[in-house]
């Protein structure tokens, strides 16, 4: 079984630019989550999809972040325009509809300079 | 104050030692408790999962939850160099969807 795939693995962009992160969950997993870890801080929840619907987006920091999940399959997280404080590692995770533990991807390391 | 506190370490032990990793938390609503292991440049990997109070054992790993003290522990017996990683505790209430609140992680180094 393929795991959760994220790309790119690393992205360096300039402040003000746009970056799009992609996540391919495990096939059949209806739950998809985005988390973020900024330097020196704990991993923080961003949002949760159930299939193509946003179930909870209470962790999204501001309206520069836009997440979508096309047809309940892969998801994208767009940051536009990027700011320095957006630097960190962005993790995607997925789980079955009925399940408690989810599988994380390896993350996208975003550096905004 | 953070909702979940975890000593960042690093914790350095010799191979074969018993390791104790701990988290404290402030939200009494937390009911589900998890331990994740994270190797460098990888995503967190679920190790143990416990609901409410009690102990759970899986091979060399034992998870304990003491809700009265708001304290959870992960014990690793006969530690191996391959156990060297960052260990993250995570937890959630019963009615908050699946959103997890993480501790900051403890870096463990097991020396041969």
């Amino acid at each position: 079984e393929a795991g959760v795939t994220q790309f790119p693995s690393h992205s360096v962009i300039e402040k003000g630019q746009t970056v799009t992160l992609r996540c391919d969950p495990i096939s059949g997993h209806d739950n998809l989550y985005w988390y973020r870890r900024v330097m020196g801080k704990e991993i923080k929840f961003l949002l949760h999809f159930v299939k193509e619907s946003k179930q909870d987006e209470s962790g999204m920091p501001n309206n520069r972040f836009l997440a979508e999940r096309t047809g309940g399959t892969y998801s994208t997280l767009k940051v536009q325009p990027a700011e320095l404080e957006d630097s960190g590692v962005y993790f995607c995770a997925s789980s079955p509809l009925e399940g408690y533990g989810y599988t994380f991807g390896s993350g996208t390391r975003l550096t905004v300079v | 104050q953070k909702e979940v506190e975890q000593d960042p370490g690093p914790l350095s032990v010799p191979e074969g030692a018993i390791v104790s990793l701990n988290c404290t938390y402030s939200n009494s609503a937390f009911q589900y408790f998890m331990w994740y292991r994270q190797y460098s440049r990888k995503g967190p990997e679920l190790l143990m999962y416990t609901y409410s109070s009690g102990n759970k054992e899986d091979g060399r790993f034992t998870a304990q939850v003491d809700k009265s003290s708001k304290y959870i522990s992960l014990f690793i017996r006969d530690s191996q160099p391959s156990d060297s990683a960052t260990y993250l505790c995570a937890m959630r209430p019963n009615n908050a969807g699946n959103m997890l609140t993480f501790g900051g992680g403890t870096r463990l180094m097991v020396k041969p």
Side-chain angles (χ1 to χ4, degrees), chain B residues 47-66:
Chain B
L47 273 180
M48 299 286 288
Y49 170 90
T50 310
Y51 173 71
S52 194
S53 286
N55 293 358
K56 187 173 184 178
E57 189 173 321
D58 184 2
R60 297 185 295 112
F61 298 90
T62 300
Q64 286 185 353
V65 175
D66 181 349

Side-chain angles (χ1 to χ4, degrees), chain A residues 88-107:
Chain A
V89 183
Y90 290 76
F91 291 105
C92 174
S94 71
S95 73
L97 203 55
E98 297 297 328
Y100 51 79
Y102 30 90
T103 304
F104 279 86
S106 293

Side-chain angles (χ1 to χ4, degrees), chain A residues 31 33 35 37 40-45 48 56 58 91 95 97 99-107 109, chain B residues 2 32 34 36 38 41-46 49 56 86 88 92 96-105:
Chain A
N31 287 312
Y33 313 85
Y35 282 78
R37 184 167 197 165
K41 301 285 188 181
E42 62 275 11
I43 297 173
K44 291 273 197 183
F45 169 81
H48 170 204
D56 181 357
S58 61
F91 291 105
S95 73
L97 203 55
Y100 51 79
Y102 30 90
T103 304
F104 279 86
S106 293
R109 185 171 299 270
Chain B
K2 294 180 183 178
Y32 293 85
M34 292 145 222
Y36 283 84
Q38 185 179 17
R41 305 286 176 168
K42 297 291 185 183
E45 170 196 8
L46 181 64
Y49 170 90
K56 187 173 184 178
T86 296
L88 301 149
R92 68 172 179 90
N98 287 321
M99 182 185 82
L100 295 180
T101 300
F102 280 86

Side-chain angles (χ1 to χ4, degrees), chain A residues 3-109:
Chain A
V4 176
T5 305
Q6 291 186 248
F7 47 94
S9 58
H10 194 182
S11 179
V12 181
I13 62 170
E14 292 184 352
K15 177 182 171 181
Q17 289 187 323
T18 297
V19 63
T20 300
L21 314 181
R22 173 166 168 150
C23 170
D24 286 75
I26 292 173
S27 178
H29 281 192
D30 290 327
N31 287 312
L32 187 149
Y33 313 85
W34 285 97
Y35 282 78
R36 175 175 77 167
R37 184 167 197 165
V38 298
M39 182 77 77
K41 301 285 188 181
E42 62 275 11
I43 297 173
K44 291 273 197 183
F45 169 81
L46 294 178
L47 88 159
H48 170 204
F49 284 99
V50 177
K51 298 184 181 179
E52 67 276 7
S53 300
K54 290 177 186 173
Q55 185 78 9
D56 181 357
E57 52 184 332
S58 61
M60 295 287 263
N62 52 59
N63 59 11
R64 294 186 294 104
F65 289 76
L66 175 64
E68 295 179 327
R69 189 177 183 190
T70 305
T73 56
Y74 71 91
S75 176
T76 57
L77 179 65
K78 181 190 287 188
V79 185
Q80 179 182 29
E83 299 288 346
L84 299 179
E85 63 264 25
D86 300 332
S87 296
V89 183
Y90 290 76
F91 291 105
C92 174
S94 71
S95 73
L97 203 55
E98 297 297 328
Y100 51 79
Y102 30 90
T103 304
F104 279 86
S106 293
T108 294
R109 185 171 299 270

